Amino acid sequence: MAPFGLRTRLVLAFLLVAAVSAGTTATLTYREARNSVLSAAQDTAVASFRDQVEQLAVQLPLTRQKLEDDLRRIARKGKPRAWVVFAEYGNLRVSSGTSPTSTVVTDRLRRAAASPDRPRGTFERVVKDGLPYLTIGVPTVFRVGPDGVLPTRLVLYAVLPMAEEQAQTEALVSAARAGAMPGLAIALVPALLAARSVLRPVRGLRRAARSMGSGRLDTRIPVRGSDELADLARTFNESAGQLERSVTELRRAEERARRFASDVSHELRTPLTGMLAVTEVLDEDAARLPPDTARAVRLISAETGKLAVLVEDLMEMSRFDARAAALHTDEVDVAETIRRTLDGRHWTGGHPERVRTDLPEGVRARLDPRRFDVVVANLVGNALRHGAAPVTVRVRTTTAADGTPLLVTEVADSGPGIRPEALPHVFDRFYKADAARVRSTGSGLGLAITQENVLLHGGTVRAANRPDGAGAVFTVELPLHTAPGAR
């Protein structure tokens, strides 16, 4: 399972929803339970303390001993458990404990308890040193007769530690935390099942796409149900069907076009052979013909030769298109092979020199000599036609990034170079780098045939301009296969 794949995201989303739901429920439950626990203890303590204070018979003048005894009695009767009770009367401070005053009772509680607006007192929850306390302040009254009361300045305070209530609420938190992990673990099961049900058709779609990418255009996906994924499967099947029909028709059209080009080339080859023989005879007699007739004869001869080259190139391209081209490799001396190519076309030895070479001796490679001859001849001929002399042919060996030894052949001219927008298209069939040039001395297929021959060897060919702008350079890289023991 990928770290951030669709299954992982679905499971995490499912678990996140489960965790948020469980956390929200636990938080609300904890808050209600905590309020219930605290409210129960608080209400019990406040009501009990008020009853105890109301039952207290205050006798004046107050004596410390009598007041201490009353406070201890009230503290023992505290609910839900014993309190610590403090009394404040002017400067008099008395408590049921060891300390006469409390550090928990706040000044705000004292002011509220002494206020005439709150005759039944008030209470406050405070936290001291990390421990919660409930503090209650109730003023006392002096009874006059059966129904009359007079207020006194005596105020009693009860301090109730709420450690037990805190322990109960912490137990609730621990229980919620302990229940969350099993809940998430249980939620993982439906999350995986849901992810599986969603991803099953997605995996089928992925397999079908890969199958179509490998060429099996008849691939279809089973459609189950009527949900969005089923609609996606139906859409994929409809698209696949349309693509299969379109590709089938294109293949048929391509096959017809290849067969047509091949048939036309074969049909033209025979009459062109006769025409070439006739033009050769006419060329020999052109010197004895009138000037206008001689020019016409030489033009017919030249155009017939170009047509013959075009027919041969078309037949060669049709063999590549039909996957009928085959390699007949042999181990050759690369330098000697290139020299034969250049000498056979009379490109070397002239004055001024048209083609220069930089060919190290002893470099041997296993390749198809005829096709390598075509590669070199087409590149050099293209450089002479569309670039400028001198043209330089260099050979060197190097190593690819994966460690494969390579034979590198470079053909560089001294012309103006190739326009940047034309560089990606120079190996296209019949491509004209100069849009204004409607005629050329070549067939327009030379570089395309060169590329096909290089690809047939398992190599690459690319075109670029020199960094200094002094011409174009074509680079051919072929795997350097040699026989055992060869240099």
Side-chain angles (χ1 to χ4, degrees), residues 321-360:
D321 291 340
R323 303 293 187 269
L327 282 178
H328 301 285
T329 61
D330 191 10
E331 184 182 347
V332 300
D333 185 295
V334 177
E336 182 61 28
T337 302
I338 293 177
R339 289 193 190 98
R340 283 199 298 267
T341 299
L342 301 178
D343 293 342
R345 290 163 177 82
H346 307 290
W347 285 334
T348 56
H351 297 285
E353 193 173 14
R354 302 178 63 194
V355 178
R356 300 171 181 174
T357 59
D358 182 5
L359 308 175

Side-chain angles (χ1 to χ4, degrees), residues 118-186:
R118 298 183 180 181
R120 292 181 57 82
T122 185
F123 63 90
E124 185 180 30
R125 286 203 299 263
V126 297
V127 177
K128 181 71 172 181
D129 298 331
L131 297 176
Y133 294 91
L134 174 64
T135 58
I136 310 169
V138 178
T140 62
V141 294
F142 180 73
R143 296 187 178 276
V144 180
D147 298 323
V149 294
L150 293 175
T152 69
R153 292 188 296 130
L154 176 63
V155 182
L156 301 186
Y157 300 94
V159 177
L160 173 64
M162 305 191 74
E164 292 186 11
E165 287 74 15
Q166 185 182 30
Q168 292 178 16
T169 57
E170 290 178 352
L172 290 174
V173 174
S174 299
R177 186 184 300 114
M181 296 308 297
L184 290 178
I186 295 173

Side-chain angles (χ1 to χ4, degrees), residues 17-29 180:
V17 172
V20 171
S21 301
T24 303
T25 303
T27 301
L28 295 176
T29 303

